[in-house]
């Protein structure tokens, strides 16, 4: 990395590093970068887009998957490059890029890594890097974040949110239009992944490739009890697809009788108008990753 960069830090991320530590590591690696702290409630995509419009061509997301996805959304198909410092709890995107997960090595990679082109996916114009969900998982995340705002620890909030969500025993009636077929289904959960997710082995829930140009569409089996729903939600948290009917497609339209639905995008939930139009955007994001990626 030769041109000046901006490092956008989300201090709410699970393992966020102090500003002085980041500056020291950046300087030690010979990286010329400014640090921008995203304040609570800040629109990180708008912040990244502003820095891009001001001339910055390397934007580094320091945070979890939601932060990385928000920065990426500002620079897809622009010629700008994304760097990643994985400071979240799960760091799915960083793992699939085979980035080092310790901060010092991740900073060093910004200077030694190569620029790769990877796919992103989108729904109704909203970008995501890992996966999107409808039904059970967005409901669970919304309940969890309500409890976290009340001061509950993350895993306690997750457990209590699971109990609250399962009391409702949520199901969706949706129509899926993909690969020239229309499937009407009643399901507790729809999963849309950016590229193909592994469904067995020790790497369950990871992706071998970020350049396959496909969406991985998973629809949960509807004959599932309350404990099955809980297991499904837990697996979804880690990007794992189990007890799903799976198909692969480049785009899919999801129709519901509801005018708006809660939709999760890389762990963040928003209310979106239906129908939901998903598509892949092959090799539309420049990202710094290890040479061998």
């Amino acid at each position: 990395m030769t041109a000046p960069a901006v490092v956008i830090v989300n201090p709410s991320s699970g393992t966020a590093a102090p500003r002085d530590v980041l500056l020291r590591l950046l300087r030690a690696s010979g990286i010329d970068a400014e640090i921008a702290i995203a304040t609570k409630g800040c629109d990180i995509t708008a912040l990244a887009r502003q820095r891009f419009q001001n001339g910055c061509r390397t934007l580094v997301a320091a945070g979890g998957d939601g932060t990385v996805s928000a920065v990426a959304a500002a620079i897809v198909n622009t010629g700008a490059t994304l760097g990643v410092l994985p400071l979240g709890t799960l760091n799915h995107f960083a793992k699939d890029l085979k980035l080092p997960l310790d901060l010092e090595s991740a900073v060093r990679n910004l200077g030694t890594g190569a620029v790769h082109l990877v796919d992103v996916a989108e729904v109704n114009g909203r970008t995501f890097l890992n996966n999107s969900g409808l039904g059970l998982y967005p409901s669970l995340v919304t309940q969890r974040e309500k409890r976290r705002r009340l001061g509950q620890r993350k895993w306690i909030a997750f457990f209590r949110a699971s109990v609250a969500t399962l009391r409702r025993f949520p199901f969706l009636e949706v129509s899926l239009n993909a690969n020239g077929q229309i499937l009407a289904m009643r399901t507790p959960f729809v999963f849309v992944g950016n590229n193909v997710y592994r469904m067995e082995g020790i790497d369950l829930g990871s992706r071998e490739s970020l350049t396959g140009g496909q969406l991985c569409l998973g629809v949960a089996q509807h004959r599932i009890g309350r404990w099955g729903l809980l297991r499904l939600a837990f697996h979804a948290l880690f990007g794992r697809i189990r007890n799903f009917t799976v198909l692969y497609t480049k785009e899919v339209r999801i129709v519901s009788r509801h005018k708006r639905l809660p939709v999760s995008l890389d762990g963040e939930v928003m209310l979106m108008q239906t129908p939901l139009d998903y598509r892949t955007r092959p090799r539309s994001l420049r990202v710094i990753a290890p040479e061998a990626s």
Side-chain angles (χ1 to χ4, degrees):
M1 182 191 302
T2 56
V6 61
V7 179
I8 298 176
V9 180
N10 183 353
S12 301
S13 296
T15 58
R19 183 191 188 104
D20 59 336
V21 172
L22 274 178
L23 280 173
R24 175 175 56 79
L25 292 173
L26 289 163
R27 288 169 182 161
S29 295
I31 296 170
D32 181 9
E34 171 198 355
I35 292 181
I37 305 295
T39 57
K40 188 174 182 179
C42 169
D43 184 334
I44 293 176
T45 299
L47 174 60
R49 187 174 291 120
Q50 180 186 57
R51 295 307 177 102
F52 171 76
Q53 292 170 347
N54 290 343
C56 182
R57 291 298 177 264
T58 303
L59 293 94
V60 179
D65 285 309
T67 303
V68 177
S69 185
V71 175
I75 59 172
V76 170
N77 274 336
T78 64
T81 300
L82 174 71
V84 178
L85 297 180
L87 300 178
T89 304
L90 299 174
N91 302 311
H92 290 305
F93 186 65
K95 290 174 182 176
D96 290 341
L97 274 177
K98 299 179 174 57
L99 290 177
L101 299 182
D102 67 284
L103 181 58
E104 185 173 352
S105 297
V107 170
R108 192 179 306 117
N109 176 73
L110 296 176
T112 61
V115 175
H116 299 258
L117 287 171
V118 300
D119 304 343
V120 304
E122 69 175 30
V123 53
N124 291 7
R126 295 276 189 167
T127 298
F128 60 97
L129 299 179
N130 299 320
N131 55 67
S132 173
L134 310 176
L136 175 69
Y137 183 59
S139 176
L140 189 151
V141 170
T142 301
Q143 292 284 342
R144 183 193 68 190
E145 292 308 305
K146 284 181 181 178
R147 284 159 174 75
R148 291 193 70 189
R149 285 193 291 271
L150 295 175
Q152 294 180 7
R153 297 172 72 102
K154 186 168 187 175
W155 291 106
I156 294 174
F158 173 78
F159 175 76
R160 291 180 176 172
S162 300
V163 172
T165 301
L166 293 178
R167 282 178 183 157
R168 295 177 53 240
F169 209 49
F171 279 85
L172 285 174
E173 292 184 4
V174 293
S175 175
L176 310 175
N177 187 338
N179 297 332
Q181 294 182 304
I182 297 178
L183 303 173
M185 307 191 75
R186 184 173 185 267
T187 177
F189 182 42
V190 179
F191 174 100
V192 183
N194 174 28
N195 281 297
V196 177
Y197 276 72
R198 291 185 178 96
M199 285 171 259
E200 59 183 19
I202 61 173
D203 293 324
L204 176 72
S206 65
R207 292 166 288 182
E208 183 174 346
S209 172
L210 294 174
T211 58
Q214 287 185 303
L215 301 176
C216 178
L217 177 63
V219 184
Q221 299 166 8
H222 74 277
R223 292 183 179 87
I224 188 170
R226 291 184 189 271
W227 286 112
L229 279 176
L230 181 59
R231 288 193 297 273
L232 188 69
F234 187 77
H235 289 148
L237 180 68
F238 292 94
R240 297 172 178 175
I241 308 176
R242 281 185 168 174
N243 298 318
F244 277 80
T245 298
V246 178
L247 61 89
Y248 304 105
T249 182
K250 293 186 181 300
E251 57 186 41
V252 59
R253 167 168 280 201
I254 300 179
V255 179
S256 166
R257 61 184 176 83
H258 298 284
K259 291 184 178 180
R260 296 190 297 172
L261 284 174
V263 179
S264 69
L265 302 172
D266 292 337
E268 308 294 325
V269 177
M270 61 183 64
L271 205 58
M272 302 188 74
Q273 296 277 354
T274 60
L276 300 169
D277 289 310
Y278 286 86
R279 70 182 180 115
T280 180
R281 299 181 66 180
R283 298 178 184 265
S284 57
L285 178 66
R286 291 165 52 90
V287 61
I288 302 170
E291 286 277 5
S293 290

